[in-house]
Amino acid sequence: MVGMMGAAGAGLAVAPALAGGTPAAAAPLAQAPVAAKDPKLEALKQEAIRAVEKRAKLVQEIVDSLFSFSELGFQEFQTKRYLISILRKNGFAIQEGISGIPTAWLATWGSGGPVIAMGSDIDGIPRSSQKPGVIGRDPLVEPMGLDHAPGHGEGHNSGMAAVVAGAIVLKELMQRNNIKGRLKVWPGVAEELLGSKAYYVRDGYFDDVDVTLFSHVSSGLTTDWGAASGNGLLSIEYTFKGSPGHGASPHLGRSALDAVQLMTAGMEYRREHLPIQQRTHFIIPYGGDQPNVIPEIAKVWYYLREDTADEILALRALAEKIAKAAAEMTDTQLVDMRVLGAASPQHFNRPVAEAAAANMTLVGMPNWSEDDHTYARAVQEAAGSTPRGLSTEVGGLSGPIPNQYRQGGGSDDIGDISWKVPTITIRFPANIPGGGPSHTWWQALSMATPIAHKGTTTCAKVYATTVLDLLLRPELVRDAKAYFEAEQAGRYKPLIGPNDKPSIHLNKERMELWRPRLEKVYYNPARYATYLDQLGIAYPGGRQR
């Protein structure tokens, strides 16, 4: 991990603490001195930018199609079929079902080296079904009782559009200019469940990769290096077994639900005495059959988040200790502690991040229209934020947040890949700043509008130009590997074991319930220019025609 004043971190601008001791985000970094630019490479980059722009329609169709599929993690079957059909038509070889995950795949093209992997997430969020381009709650499909259909309440419908369009442009440029190298395109399956990337790493799919470029939806155009904000995570389901009995004679039974409740109480009492950066949260997916039957089986599902692998493992040991104590207090058994997902803390590569940040400056922000700003301001106002419109300046590069300012946060299993090979995340502006809470229908509002189309096309341009740097500047790959060797090599502590398996059962019943209803609103690009057109939504008015 990079220190504040270490060789790799010299000159890092440290974010000051805000009032009350809350740290600001890491300040943007000045670009490191770079060698004179190669005119041929710069010309190729401009050609790539133009080629991506010519495929803006493809980007829009992918963004809108994936939005309409609205598939949850491990159940992204229509998304898989759609994406691999595009890649296969463009000459990529497809390997399906990698790591034993039916919706996972790997697309490859090229020969020789370097090998560049490009990926993004594809899964949706439960209960976040939402029409795009409107103001306020308006689900794509009617709810059933209190339950809503899934939707793209974070924006994972966008990233693979940038990857696919960028990969197709790169393939054509590489062919035309006889550029050696291999492209590997892969999806982040079930990212919301932290369900796939650690298995990809364990099963060797990144063993021959030189550099990985990952992307994630955001409201700005940024990247960073070093220890990223947020936490790593272990997702574990604890199963208790008691003995059944009649509710009228409870002394003859032992309640597994009692054990679950005591475990959750114990974890809550310990929360005050855990480090500030930890996050522990849970649901009870199964608590019994009916009130007059003492629950013989009960389950509680925890996300255990911490800042380092060692701290995550310590938190796991604490949870196991409390679970065993709960079983002992209730005369029940703790019969299973199943890992459902995992994400290592993230650490990103400085030389590659600096190259990507330079290309962000080269590409620039999307050319937002006044309609885009008008819609953004309307959403911001509805969400209770200052109606300021969309970001217009490239955010660029940030360094690691110093340890004393780290207070925990979200997780992404790209962290596991970042400890295997030099990796960065490209964050791109397809969403609205201050547009409502993440992981909810609010974040779906912009995700099939011109805002998402333009922001995702911008991301594809950054992908294409950065991969050209990696293919044609051997020193960049060498520097990336040197940074990795100095800062990360040998320090990866996988949070999954050799016998853990992907939790491909998750979301199956829910998608079987909702898919027939969602199929009726799938986007049809052969008939409609955009999904907004298909839905009859006026933009930016936020109303249906």
Side-chain angles (χ1 to χ4, degrees):
M1 196 169 290
V2 179
M4 286 175 58
M5 297 304 294
L12 172 61
V14 177
L18 301 175
T22 302
L29 294 173
Q31 290 291 317
V34 296
K37 294 181 178 180
D38 178 351
K40 291 183 179 179
L41 174 57
E42 295 308 307
L44 273 176
K45 288 184 180 183
Q46 291 299 329
E47 187 177 350
I49 291 169
R50 292 190 297 270
V52 169
E53 191 61 40
K54 289 179 181 178
R55 286 166 177 79
K57 176 60 177 172
L58 173 64
V59 170
Q60 171 261 310
E61 288 187 359
I62 297 174
V63 167
D64 287 4
S65 295
L66 269 56
F67 184 93
S68 73
F69 300 157
S70 300
E71 293 179 302
L72 294 172
F74 290 120
Q75 308 304 319
E76 310 99 332
F77 290 100
Q78 182 64 21
T79 298
K80 180 194 80 167
R81 286 189 291 267
Y82 176 76
L83 291 173
I84 65 175
S85 70
I86 296 172
L87 288 163
R88 187 174 278 130
K89 288 176 184 176
N90 283 276
F92 284 76
I94 308 296
Q95 181 180 358
E96 299 186 49
I98 64 173
S99 288
I101 302 172
T103 56
W105 44 271
L106 183 66
T108 58
W109 180 87
S111 62
V115 179
I116 311 301
M118 303 163 61
S120 195
D121 300 323
I122 59 173
D123 58 326
I125 300 282
R127 300 178 53 81
S128 63
S129 178
Q130 174 64 38
K131 290 176 183 173
V134 301
I135 308 297
R137 185 64 153 136
D138 192 357
L140 268 175
V141 298
E142 288 298 314
M144 289 188 283
L146 296 177
D147 194 19
H148 281 262
H152 277 287
E154 184 171 4
H156 285 176
N157 61 301
S158 57
M160 282 306 297
V163 171
V164 169
I168 291 170
V169 165
L170 285 162
K171 177 211 163 196
E172 293 177 356
L173 285 174
M174 292 167 71
Q175 283 181 318
R176 192 157 57 243
N177 294 277
N178 195 28
I179 299 171
K180 295 296 183 183
R182 279 188 292 152
L183 305 177
K184 300 180 75 167
V185 176
W186 54 273
V189 168
E191 186 277 335
E192 300 301 340
L193 303 169
L194 293 309
S196 63
K197 301 185 189 85
Y199 295 96
Y200 297 167
V201 171
R202 186 192 67 183
D203 297 341
Y205 292 103
F206 287 82
D207 286 355
D208 63 346
V209 171
D210 292 293
V211 173
T212 296
L213 302 183
F214 180 67
S215 63
H216 198 282
V217 61
S218 183
S219 58
L221 188 57
T222 65
T223 191
D224 58 2
W225 64 271
S229 62
N231 288 332
L233 177 153
L234 258 173
S235 167
I236 305 180
E237 183 181 70
Y238 300 85
T239 301
F240 295 87
K241 184 178 186 298
S243 56
H246 195 295
S249 50
H251 58 288
L252 299 178
R254 296 292 180 265
S255 172
L257 181 59
D258 286 352
V260 163
Q261 291 177 302
L262 282 170
M263 180 183 180
T264 61
M267 291 292 286
E268 291 304 296
Y269 276 107
R270 284 301 298 268
R271 187 192 297 273
E272 179 184 0
H273 309 288
L274 296 174
I276 191 171
Q277 73 274 5
Q278 67 79 32
R279 303 285 191 275
T280 58
H281 32 117
F282 70 92
I283 63 168
I284 300 175
Y286 184 73
D289 299 305
Q290 58 189 56
N292 66 330
V293 178
I294 293 171
E296 182 180 11
I297 301 294
K299 302 172 185 253
V300 59
W301 180 7
Y302 268 92
Y303 274 13
L304 307 172
R305 304 186 199 243
E306 253 288 6
D307 202 37
T308 69
D310 286 338
E311 289 165 331
I312 294 167
L313 293 172
L315 189 56
R316 177 182 187 173
L318 173 63
E320 181 176 339
K321 179 180 179 180
I322 291 173
K324 289 178 176 177
E328 185 172 354
M329 284 188 286
T330 54
D331 281 333
T332 62
Q333 295 175 280
L334 176 63
V335 295
D336 195 18
M337 295 179 287
R338 180 175 180 179
V339 173
L340 298 182
S344 290
Q346 303 162 51
H347 189 114
F348 296 128
N349 190 270
R350 182 170 189 172
V352 180
E354 289 173 342
N359 288 317
M360 290 175 183
T361 300
L362 174 69
V363 169
M365 289 291 283
N367 184 20
W368 306 123
S369 68
E370 186 52 41
D371 282 349
D372 298 331
H373 286 295
T374 296
Y375 180 65
R377 287 191 289 266
V379 171
Q380 289 162 343
E381 186 172 12
S385 302
T386 302
R388 59 189 183 275
L390 298 165
S391 301
T392 58
E393 300 293 330
V394 173
L397 182 67
S398 295
I401 296 175
N403 288 338
Q404 65 266 36
Y405 294 149
R406 298 181 67 82
Q407 294 189 6
S411 310
D412 193 308
D413 49 352
I414 189 61
D416 289 86
I417 296 174
S418 76
W419 290 98
K420 178 65 177 179
V421 297
T423 300
I424 65 163
T425 293
I426 300 165
R427 296 178 186 86
F428 59 97
N431 222 309
I432 296 173
S438 184
H439 287 202
T440 69
W441 59 269
W442 282 98
Q443 294 296 298
L445 288 172
S446 70
M447 290 311 305
T449 71
I451 294 170
H453 305 152
K454 293 174 185 179
T456 306
T457 301
T458 294
C459 181
K461 295 174 183 178
V462 177
Y463 260 118
T465 51
T466 304
V467 172
L468 285 173
D469 275 327
L470 293 164
L471 294 172
L472 297 172
R473 292 174 51 204
E475 72 279 5
L476 177 56
V477 175
R478 288 197 300 268
D479 290 348
K481 291 183 175 181
Y483 175 94
F484 184 85
E485 288 296 320
E487 300 292 334
Q488 296 177 261
R491 303 179 197 180
Y492 179 41
K493 292 186 176 181
L495 299 174
I496 60 169
N499 298 318
D500 289 323
K501 296 180 180 179
S503 303
I504 60 175
H505 65 286
L506 293 174
N507 292 322
K508 185 175 185 293
E509 292 182 2
R510 193 160 198 168
M511 280 308 303
E512 287 175 348
L513 174 68
W514 286 109
R515 184 172 277 114
R517 294 165 172 82
L518 288 163
E519 287 173 347
K520 297 176 183 178
V521 295
Y522 281 0
Y523 173 46
N524 183 352
R527 290 189 59 189
Y528 299 96
T530 69
Y531 198 38
L532 291 180
D533 289 336
Q534 180 171 325
L535 296 173
I537 294 172
Y539 181 84
R543 64 186 183 279
Q544 288 187 275
R545 298 188 188 99

mmCIF file of all heavy atoms in Angstrom, residues 168-187:
data_model
loop_
_atom_site.group_PDB
_atom_site.id
_atom_site.type_symbol
_atom_site.label_atom_id
_atom_site.label_comp_id
_atom_site.label_asym_id
_atom_site.label_seq_id
_atom_site.Cartn_x
_atom_site.Cartn_y
_atom_site.Cartn_z
ATOM 1 N N ILE A 168 -14.385 -3.226 -30.200
ATOM 2 C CA ILE A 168 -14.585 -3.351 -31.644
ATOM 3 C C ILE A 168 -13.727 -2.342 -32.398
ATOM 4 O O ILE A 168 -13.079 -2.669 -33.406
ATOM 5 C CB ILE A 168 -16.078 -3.173 -31.984
ATOM 6 C CG1 ILE A 168 -16.884 -4.356 -31.449
ATOM 7 C CG2 ILE A 168 -16.286 -3.025 -33.490
ATOM 8 C CD1 ILE A 168 -18.384 -4.164 -31.524
ATOM 9 N N VAL A 169 -13.678 -1.113 -31.916
ATOM 10 C CA VAL A 169 -12.833 -0.090 -32.544
ATOM 11 C C VAL A 169 -11.369 -0.490 -32.475
ATOM 12 O O VAL A 169 -10.619 -0.368 -33.463
ATOM 13 C CB VAL A 169 -13.073 1.275 -31.866
ATOM 14 C CG1 VAL A 169 -11.970 2.262 -32.230
ATOM 15 C CG2 VAL A 169 -14.430 1.829 -32.251
ATOM 16 N N LEU A 170 -10.919 -0.970 -31.325
ATOM 17 C CA LEU A 170 -9.524 -1.378 -31.168
ATOM 18 C C LEU A 170 -9.175 -2.528 -32.104
ATOM 19 O O LEU A 170 -8.104 -2.529 -32.721
ATOM 20 C CB LEU A 170 -9.266 -1.772 -29.715
ATOM 21 C CG LEU A 170 -9.172 -0.605 -28.735
ATOM 22 C CD1 LEU A 170 -9.369 -1.083 -27.309
ATOM 23 C CD2 LEU A 170 -7.819 0.109 -28.890
ATOM 24 N N LYS A 171 -10.055 -3.504 -32.195
ATOM 25 C CA LYS A 171 -9.799 -4.633 -33.093
ATOM 26 C C LYS A 171 -9.586 -4.153 -34.523
ATOM 27 O O LYS A 171 -8.638 -4.580 -35.213
ATOM 28 C CB LYS A 171 -10.970 -5.609 -33.033
ATOM 29 C CG LYS A 171 -10.829 -6.794 -33.992
ATOM 30 C CD LYS A 171 -12.166 -7.262 -34.471
ATOM 31 C CE LYS A 171 -11.988 -8.137 -35.703
ATOM 32 N NZ LYS A 171 -13.243 -8.328 -36.430
ATOM 33 N N GLU A 172 -10.435 -3.252 -34.994
ATOM 34 C CA GLU A 172 -10.305 -2.763 -36.365
ATOM 35 C C GLU A 172 -9.025 -1.959 -36.557
ATOM 36 O O GLU A 172 -8.343 -2.095 -37.589
ATOM 37 C CB GLU A 172 -11.536 -1.931 -36.717
ATOM 38 C CG GLU A 172 -12.815 -2.779 -36.777
ATOM 39 C CD GLU A 172 -14.050 -1.954 -37.060
ATOM 40 O OE1 GLU A 172 -13.934 -0.708 -37.133
ATOM 41 O OE2 GLU A 172 -15.138 -2.545 -37.203
ATOM 42 N N LEU A 173 -8.671 -1.128 -35.585
ATOM 43 C CA LEU A 173 -7.426 -0.363 -35.679
ATOM 44 C C LEU A 173 -6.211 -1.278 -35.643
ATOM 45 O O LEU A 173 -5.234 -1.066 -36.379
ATOM 46 C CB LEU A 173 -7.351 0.648 -34.531
ATOM 47 C CG LEU A 173 -8.233 1.895 -34.635
ATOM 48 C CD1 LEU A 173 -8.152 2.700 -33.359
ATOM 49 C CD2 LEU A 173 -7.815 2.752 -35.829
ATOM 50 N N MET A 174 -6.258 -2.297 -34.795
ATOM 51 C CA MET A 174 -5.135 -3.229 -34.688
ATOM 52 C C MET A 174 -4.953 -4.010 -35.983
ATOM 53 O O MET A 174 -3.832 -4.220 -36.452
ATOM 54 C CB MET A 174 -5.349 -4.158 -33.500
ATOM 55 C CG MET A 174 -5.259 -3.458 -32.144
ATOM 56 S SD MET A 174 -5.884 -4.454 -30.765
ATOM 57 C CE MET A 174 -4.589 -5.693 -30.650
ATOM 58 N N GLN A 175 -6.044 -4.426 -36.587
ATOM 59 C CA GLN A 175 -5.957 -5.141 -37.864
ATOM 60 C C GLN A 175 -5.382 -4.251 -38.957
ATOM 61 O O GLN A 175 -4.487 -4.649 -39.710
ATOM 62 C CB GLN A 175 -7.345 -5.631 -38.275
ATOM 63 C CG GLN A 175 -7.832 -6.857 -37.546
ATOM 64 C CD GLN A 175 -9.205 -7.303 -38.026
ATOM 65 O OE1 GLN A 175 -10.090 -6.484 -38.239
ATOM 66 N NE2 GLN A 175 -9.380 -8.599 -38.207
ATOM 67 N N ARG A 176 -5.910 -3.047 -39.037
ATOM 68 C CA ARG A 176 -5.520 -2.146 -40.120
ATOM 69 C C ARG A 176 -4.066 -1.698 -40.002
ATOM 70 O O ARG A 176 -3.402 -1.453 -41.017
ATOM 71 C CB ARG A 176 -6.456 -0.944 -40.121
ATOM 72 C CG ARG A 176 -6.355 -0.085 -41.366
ATOM 73 C CD ARG A 176 -7.615 0.725 -41.583
ATOM 74 N NE ARG A 176 -7.963 1.570 -40.462
ATOM 75 C CZ ARG A 176 -9.073 1.447 -39.736
ATOM 76 N NH1 ARG A 176 -9.928 0.471 -39.988
ATOM 77 N NH2 ARG A 176 -9.331 2.276 -38.744
ATOM 78 N N ASN A 177 -3.575 -1.607 -38.761
ATOM 79 C CA ASN A 177 -2.219 -1.091 -38.547
ATOM 80 C C ASN A 177 -1.231 -2.168 -38.104
ATOM 81 O O ASN A 177 -0.125 -1.850 -37.682
ATOM 82 C CB ASN A 177 -2.263 0.031 -37.505
ATOM 83 C CG ASN A 177 -3.021 1.243 -37.993
ATOM 84 O OD1 ASN A 177 -2.471 2.079 -38.706
ATOM 85 N ND2 ASN A 177 -4.297 1.342 -37.611
ATOM 86 N N ASN A 178 -1.665 -3.447 -38.184
ATOM 87 C CA ASN A 178 -0.796 -4.569 -37.848
ATOM 88 C C ASN A 178 -0.207 -4.422 -36.444
ATOM 89 O O ASN A 178 1.000 -4.577 -36.227
ATOM 90 C CB ASN A 178 0.329 -4.717 -38.885
ATOM 91 C CG ASN A 178 1.017 -6.071 -38.789
ATOM 92 O OD1 ASN A 178 0.401 -7.059 -38.375
ATOM 93 N ND2 ASN A 178 2.287 -6.119 -39.151
ATOM 94 N N ILE A 179 -1.080 -4.108 -35.486
ATOM 95 C CA ILE A 179 -0.662 -3.943 -34.095
ATOM 96 C C ILE A 179 -0.894 -5.257 -33.357
ATOM 97 O O ILE A 179 -1.995 -5.792 -33.340
ATOM 98 C CB ILE A 179 -1.460 -2.809 -33.407
ATOM 99 C CG1 ILE A 179 -1.208 -1.477 -34.127
ATOM 100 C CG2 ILE A 179 -1.091 -2.705 -31.932
ATOM 101 C CD1 ILE A 179 -2.115 -0.354 -33.650
ATOM 102 N N LYS A 180 0.164 -5.767 -32.733
ATOM 103 C CA LYS A 180 0.066 -7.020 -31.998
ATOM 104 C C LYS A 180 -0.521 -6.785 -30.607
ATOM 105 O O LYS A 180 -0.326 -5.742 -29.995
ATOM 106 C CB LYS A 180 1.437 -7.682 -31.878
ATOM 107 C CG LYS A 180 2.029 -8.125 -33.215
ATOM 108 C CD LYS A 180 1.174 -9.206 -33.850
ATOM 109 C CE LYS A 180 1.788 -9.709 -35.146
ATOM 110 N NZ LYS A 180 0.927 -10.721 -35.809
ATOM 111 N N GLY A 181 -1.190 -7.814 -30.140
ATOM 112 C CA GLY A 181 -1.765 -7.753 -28.810
ATOM 113 C C GLY A 181 -3.063 -8.520 -28.765
ATOM 114 O O GLY A 181 -3.639 -8.866 -29.805
ATOM 115 N N ARG A 182 -3.508 -8.835 -27.559
ATOM 116 C CA ARG A 182 -4.759 -9.563 -27.387
ATOM 117 C C ARG A 182 -5.702 -8.775 -26.492
ATOM 118 O O ARG A 182 -5.277 -8.166 -25.501
ATOM 119 C CB ARG A 182 -4.519 -10.949 -26.786
ATOM 120 C CG ARG A 182 -4.087 -11.991 -27.799
ATOM 121 C CD ARG A 182 -4.052 -13.371 -27.169
ATOM 122 N NE ARG A 182 -2.988 -13.472 -26.172
ATOM 123 C CZ ARG A 182 -3.016 -14.279 -25.114
ATOM 124 N NH1 ARG A 182 -4.086 -15.032 -24.886
ATOM 125 N NH2 ARG A 182 -1.997 -14.329 -24.281
ATOM 126 N N LEU A 183 -6.978 -8.820 -26.853
ATOM 127 C CA LEU A 183 -8.029 -8.200 -26.066
ATOM 128 C C LEU A 183 -8.868 -9.293 -25.425
ATOM 129 O O LEU A 183 -9.240 -10.266 -26.079
ATOM 130 C CB LEU A 183 -8.920 -7.328 -26.958
ATOM 131 C CG LEU A 183 -8.222 -6.258 -27.790
ATOM 132 C CD1 LEU A 183 -9.237 -5.540 -28.673
ATOM 133 C CD2 LEU A 183 -7.477 -5.258 -26.908
ATOM 134 N N LYS A 184 -9.166 -9.132 -24.138
ATOM 135 C CA LYS A 184 -10.036 -10.063 -23.419
ATOM 136 C C LYS A 184 -11.161 -9.251 -22.786
ATOM 137 O O LYS A 184 -10.914 -8.368 -21.963
ATOM 138 C CB LYS A 184 -9.256 -10.824 -22.344
ATOM 139 C CG LYS A 184 -8.106 -11.658 -22.895
ATOM 140 C CD LYS A 184 -7.343 -12.400 -21.795
ATOM 141 C CE LYS A 184 -8.108 -13.586 -21.269
ATOM 142 N NZ LYS A 184 -7.267 -14.476 -20.426
ATOM 143 N N VAL A 185 -12.377 -9.536 -23.211
ATOM 144 C CA VAL A 185 -13.553 -8.819 -22.727
ATOM 145 C C VAL A 185 -14.337 -9.749 -21.803
ATOM 146 O O VAL A 185 -14.613 -10.896 -22.154
ATOM 147 C CB VAL A 185 -14.428 -8.363 -23.909
ATOM 148 C CG1 VAL A 185 -15.700 -7.691 -23.404
ATOM 149 C CG2 VAL A 185 -13.649 -7.402 -24.808
ATOM 150 N N TRP A 186 -14.699 -9.242 -20.629
ATOM 151 C CA TRP A 186 -15.373 -10.079 -19.629
ATOM 152 C C TRP A 186 -16.417 -9.245 -18.877
ATOM 153 O O TRP A 186 -16.288 -8.038 -18.744
ATOM 154 C CB TRP A 186 -14.350 -10.642 -18.636
ATOM 155 C CG TRP A 186 -13.517 -9.568 -18.003
ATOM 156 C CD1 TRP A 186 -12.364 -9.029 -18.494
ATOM 157 C CD2 TRP A 186 -13.806 -8.855 -16.787
ATOM 158 N NE1 TRP A 186 -11.915 -8.031 -17.656
ATOM 159 C CE2 TRP A 186 -12.777 -7.904 -16.606
ATOM 160 C CE3 TRP A 186 -14.822 -8.941 -15.842
ATOM 161 C CZ2 TRP A 186 -12.740 -7.040 -15.519
ATOM 162 C CZ3 TRP A 186 -14.802 -8.080 -14.760
ATOM 163 C CH2 TRP A 186 -13.750 -7.153 -14.606
ATOM 164 N N PRO A 187 -17.476 -9.899 -18.357
ATOM 165 C CA PRO A 187 -18.504 -9.185 -17.597
ATOM 166 C C PRO A 187 -18.351 -9.385 -16.093
ATOM 167 O O PRO A 187 -17.991 -10.461 -15.622
ATOM 168 C CB PRO A 187 -19.788 -9.858 -18.086
ATOM 169 C CG PRO A 187 -19.366 -11.293 -18.254
ATOM 170 C CD PRO A 187 -17.911 -11.275 -18.677
#
